[in-house]
Amino acid sequence: MNKWLLRTSLSVFLFSQLQSNYVSAQSSERLFSDLDQASSWSLASIAYLNEMGITQGYDDGTYQPRKKITRQEVAGLLVRALQFPASESSSALPPDVRASNWSADSIQRVLSQGLMGNPNEPFRPTDPVTREELLSIFVQATSAKGQGTSTLSDEEVSDPASKQSIETSLEIGLLQGDGKKLDLDRPTERQEIAVFLTRLIQALEEPKTTETELTLVNENTVRIGAFEYPVTEEMQRLLNMDNKKILEGAALKVTLTPDFKIKDIVDLTLPASKKNLVFDGGDLHIKGNLTLLGDQMTIKNLSVDGMVQVEGNAKTALVFENTQFNGLNLNVASKLTLTGTTSVGSLTVAQKAVKDSEIVLQQNSVINDIIVPDKQNVPGLVKDYSGNQDKIQLINGQPRDSQPTASTGGSGTGGSSGGSVNPSVPVVADITKIQEVAEAYKLPTEVSVRLTDGSTVNRAVVWSAPEGVVIEEGEVTITQPGVYNFTGAVEGVKEKSKLKLDIRLPLKLVIGSGNTGIVVTEAGETKTVSFTSEPIPEVTKIVNHASYLLEWTDEQGRSTSEVELISTPGYTSHHVENGWIITKSDDSPVVSKELIAVKVKFNTPGTYSVQISAVKHEHRDEY
């Protein structure tokens, strides 16, 4: 039986919020002529559910809020709310339900979901439904499970089999009271069922706003708080049973798809109890922050849009493999090993963490900017600094080999022609983010500011959008590929922050069978590099005017031109400053998953990695 049906079918409720009782009451009074008979506490829910088409009035314009609801009426309500599919025509009806009855189809659908009895027994369609029966049905349909914080005596529940369901209803807020005046055996009124449904919707949405512990149920389902939620096919790579040991008990906030599937992780905290474990992100990304409190962990194949916070009470050892982070804050002494194609935008080492920390850079790992209390700390922090310094672009926002210029006393930013930064002026971090088309991006509420003493702080920022882009509740959703530049006013700083949002085509790109994009080659050797391209169905089924940009880096993470495309069957190729662009010779759209294979010649031996992006072109010779 489908245990999360209510979440799946009530997806429409995510697109609306409850109005105030006053406004909803006015709306209800205009809809129905007899709501003066309803209790004031039910008016908001009646109006809300009527607007959604879940509860309805009668032909004479009344709602009859105090009418006792029957079993066949509950069946009809469940079918409308849960959108149960039609049963097979051969499915039997209970002996007391005629096929000509208006409720026969609803009863058949509800029974096929394992709710409200079974077809071989009388259904009792005109019997009233008690509050106890109704709440038990809701809990069964959603697999809701409490933590035992609400308890009832056996005398308070008429059916011992439903005792746990009623306790769960109390715990998640469906039923409210002190346990002494619940009137569980009283028939349910129409106004009451509207309130119960509304409270259930609010409980289901809680993981969007509150960090809640996660439990993996199976490959397709997770439990967050009281409810079970399915996961999208893409998220299955992250929320899989291989990650069970490290994710069980982790705290997270999520976003949900319209059908209540887990879409994205907004924030994730791995507790201190997690030790000697591997977390494989499956090449997905976390929308917000990742906080690590454990020890001896390996994090791989993951990108984080926000900050990675390394916390805890003792020295830790962490390995990051094939990961991409905008920022990483080292707040406790640690041994960090960055390996594979790991890339860190800014790595900030707190004063208390400098002395006993060590940063190991392996393979193609790079750090754009390492921020430390004193620039002289870096050679002692980075293992084999002389051999790895080329993997670090900036130190405290300055070119690695430059020295700070003398203060000019000016009020704006400044610097020499060599790119050094005036230390008398706070420096605001700029942000670059690659985003898929039509995927909501939450603008950061804070940016990192490097002060004149070399320390860094986070300051609030208010963003201004480029023309044609609208910021709604701190998020933007852009449906056209391109580069969009935002400017931000930073609290207490005259310098503006800059955010470049690079919107790419809605294509899922996977490199090779191992998804690594790494090639080891001899000089003059020809290799075949393959990748798949597939439209993202949540956004579009067809992508027109698609080209692919192939960018190569060497072992030091530097862009290289020591690569030559030899053969691109079915594609034309064009060399550009930072790589190669290939385009379908017939310019046909991408309508399903496609395999693209190109032959590449390397003029210099070594280890190379490739990054592939989908870019848009309007004309054959313009990119």
Side-chain angles (χ1 to χ4, degrees):
M1 180 180 65
N2 194 335
K3 294 291 188 179
W4 49 273
L5 290 168
L6 192 56
R7 292 183 293 287
T8 302
S9 56
L10 292 181
S11 59
V12 291
F13 296 123
L14 286 178
F15 298 100
S16 175
Q17 295 180 345
L18 282 176
Q19 301 172 336
S20 68
N21 284 349
Y22 174 73
V23 174
S24 295
Q26 286 188 325
S27 175
S28 300
E29 289 166 359
R30 289 195 298 269
L31 288 171
F32 306 112
S33 62
D34 62 343
L35 287 189
D36 58 335
Q37 302 174 25
S39 300
S40 59
W41 45 259
S42 69
L43 295 177
S45 297
I46 291 172
Y48 180 56
L49 296 186
N50 182 80
E51 181 182 350
M52 295 298 104
I54 304 302
T55 57
Q56 302 172 348
Y58 291 88
D59 291 339
D60 60 0
T62 63
Y63 184 79
Q64 301 186 29
R66 296 188 178 275
K67 180 182 178 182
K68 308 301 186 290
I69 198 162
T70 64
R71 284 175 57 83
Q72 64 180 347
E73 289 172 328
V74 169
L77 174 63
L78 287 173
V79 167
R80 288 195 299 274
L82 308 180
Q83 299 179 7
F84 289 149
S87 302
E88 297 180 3
S89 57
S90 59
S91 298
L93 280 169
D96 57 348
V97 178
R98 295 182 179 179
S100 59
N101 190 304
W102 66 267
S103 62
D105 180 66
S106 296
I107 291 171
Q108 196 171 48
R109 295 188 189 206
V110 167
L111 291 174
S112 70
Q113 300 299 319
L115 301 171
M116 301 185 72
N118 66 72
N120 300 322
E121 299 176 354
F123 187 79
R124 299 174 285 111
T126 60
D127 282 5
V129 178
T130 67
R131 289 155 58 90
E132 181 174 335
E133 291 171 329
L134 182 67
L135 292 167
S136 295
I137 291 169
F138 281 0
V139 169
Q140 183 183 5
T142 59
S143 287
K145 182 186 297 183
Q147 297 180 350
T149 58
S150 297
T151 57
L152 297 171
S153 66
D154 293 338
E155 291 76 19
E156 291 173 297
V157 182
S158 61
D159 183 1
S162 65
K163 182 173 181 291
Q164 186 174 357
S165 293
I166 303 306
E167 290 173 344
T168 297
S169 296
L170 277 167
E171 186 171 326
I172 64 179
L174 301 189
L175 185 63
Q176 298 177 2
D178 58 6
K180 299 178 181 178
K181 300 178 182 179
L182 299 178
D183 295 329
L184 295 174
D185 58 349
R186 180 167 57 80
T188 308
E189 297 177 347
R190 284 171 54 83
Q191 64 177 355
E192 291 177 311
I193 197 170
V195 173
F196 290 152
L197 271 176
T198 299
R199 289 173 179 169
L200 184 58
I201 295 162
Q202 293 170 332
L204 288 166
E205 292 190 50
E206 188 174 0
K208 294 172 61 181
T209 57
T210 305
E211 279 201 357
T212 312
E213 284 194 1
L214 167 75
T215 301
L216 290 173
V217 177
N218 53 47
E219 295 284 354
N220 304 309
T221 309
V222 299
R223 178 174 290 279
I224 305 176
F227 301 103
E228 289 184 2
Y229 296 83
V231 299
T232 61
E233 183 177 347
E234 185 180 23
M235 285 296 291
Q236 287 175 0
R237 287 182 284 167
L238 179 65
L239 300 173
N240 59 60
M241 300 309 287
D242 291 338
N243 286 331
K244 182 173 184 177
K245 288 184 178 180
I246 202 165
L247 288 175
E248 290 280 11
L252 81 167
K253 289 194 297 186
V254 301
T255 60
L256 305 173
T257 64
D259 60 354
F260 271 90
K261 291 183 179 180
I262 305 300
K263 179 183 179 184
D264 296 305
I265 292 179
V266 176
D267 287 300
L268 175 64
T269 298
L270 299 180
S273 59
K274 304 303 179 181
K275 298 181 179 180
N276 300 307
L277 295 171
V278 175
F279 179 36
D280 190 338
D283 294 319
L284 296 180
H285 65 271
I286 294 174
K287 293 285 187 177
N289 300 323
L290 171 65
T291 301
L292 305 174
L293 303 177
D295 189 17
Q296 300 289 336
M297 291 188 292
T298 295
I299 313 294
K300 62 182 184 178
N301 303 323
L302 184 72
S303 63
V304 178
D305 291 352
M307 299 297 295
V308 178
Q309 303 283 357
V310 179
E311 307 279 0
N313 299 319
K315 184 174 181 179
T316 184
L318 300 170
V319 176
F320 296 106
E321 178 182 348
N322 299 332
T323 54
Q324 285 75 46
F325 306 141
N326 282 336
L328 190 155
N329 289 339
L330 193 59
N331 299 313
V332 63
S334 308
K335 178 180 179 181
L336 295 185
T337 300
L338 311 183
T339 188
T341 57
T342 291
S343 173
V344 180
S346 64
L347 170 58
T348 302
V349 184
Q351 177 71 61
K352 62 182 179 180
V354 170
K355 181 180 178 181
D356 295 320
S357 291
E358 182 182 35
I359 300 170
V360 180
L361 296 171
Q362 297 178 346
Q363 297 180 335
N364 298 318
S365 58
V366 294
I367 300 173
N368 180 59
D369 190 5
I370 184 167
I371 301 170
V372 288
D374 186 337
K375 182 175 181 178
Q376 304 306 317
N377 295 144
V378 174
L381 273 170
V382 178
K383 185 177 181 181
D384 189 17
Y385 178 70
S386 61
N388 285 294
Q389 58 182 321
D390 286 345
K391 297 181 180 181
I392 301 171
Q393 304 303 312
L394 304 172
I395 298 177
N396 289 344
Q398 304 173 15
R400 187 183 60 252
D401 296 326
S402 69
Q403 296 297 322
T405 61
S407 172
T408 64
S411 60
T413 58
S416 68
S417 59
S420 58
V421 179
N422 187 339
S424 66
V425 180
V427 178
V428 180
D430 291 339
I431 301 169
T432 298
K433 175 69 177 69
I434 295 175
Q435 188 82 358
E436 294 286 357
V437 163
E439 181 177 322
Y441 174 63
K442 189 171 184 62
L443 297 167
T445 57
E446 294 182 335
V447 292
S448 177
V449 178
R450 181 171 58 82
L451 303 179
T452 56
D453 62 0
S455 63
T456 60
V457 295
N458 287 336
R459 293 281 177 84
V461 60
V462 178
W463 296 102
S464 297
E467 185 178 356
V469 176
V470 177
I471 301 175
E472 294 184 352
E473 298 183 355
E475 289 187 348
V476 294
T477 302
I478 300 175
T479 58
Q480 288 296 323
V483 175
Y484 298 81
N485 293 304
F486 295 74
T487 58
V490 183
E491 179 186 10
V493 180
K494 290 185 178 181
E495 182 187 351
K496 298 286 188 180
S497 182
K498 298 177 182 178
L499 186 153
K500 182 172 74 173
L501 198 55
D502 188 351
I503 303 297
R504 299 296 174 89
L505 290 176
L507 288 170
K508 181 168 64 176
L509 304 176
V510 179
I511 305 172
S513 59
N515 201 24
T516 62
I518 297 177
V519 174
V520 180
T521 180
E522 298 295 333
E525 189 173 359
T526 299
K527 298 279 189 176
T528 297
V529 175
S530 63
F531 63 96
T532 58
S533 174
E534 180 180 12
I536 299 175
E538 291 85 354
V539 180
T540 182
K541 294 182 179 180
I542 297 176
V543 178
N544 291 297
H545 306 301
S547 296
Y548 304 100
L549 171 63
L550 284 67
E551 300 174 282
W552 293 88
T553 55
D554 60 16
E555 295 177 353
Q556 283 72 45
R558 298 172 300 196
S559 296
T560 179
S561 59
E562 297 296 315
V563 179
E564 182 181 352
L565 290 190
I566 302 299
S567 174
T568 55
Y571 287 79
T572 59
S573 62
H574 301 267
H575 188 265
V576 293
E577 180 179 357
N578 57 343
W580 291 83
I581 288 181
I582 64 172
T583 305
K584 280 187 180 182
S585 301
D586 59 3
D587 196 25
S588 59
V590 184
V591 298
S592 59
K593 181 184 288 188
E594 297 181 350
L595 176 65
I596 298 100
V598 298
K599 289 186 177 181
V600 184
K601 180 180 178 181
F602 299 84
N603 297 322
T604 302
T607 300
Y608 298 87
S609 60
V610 64
Q611 291 185 337
I612 300 176
S613 305
V615 296
K616 183 176 182 177
H617 72 92
E618 298 297 345
H619 303 287
R620 184 59 53 87
D621 296 324
E622 297 181 7
Y623 296 92

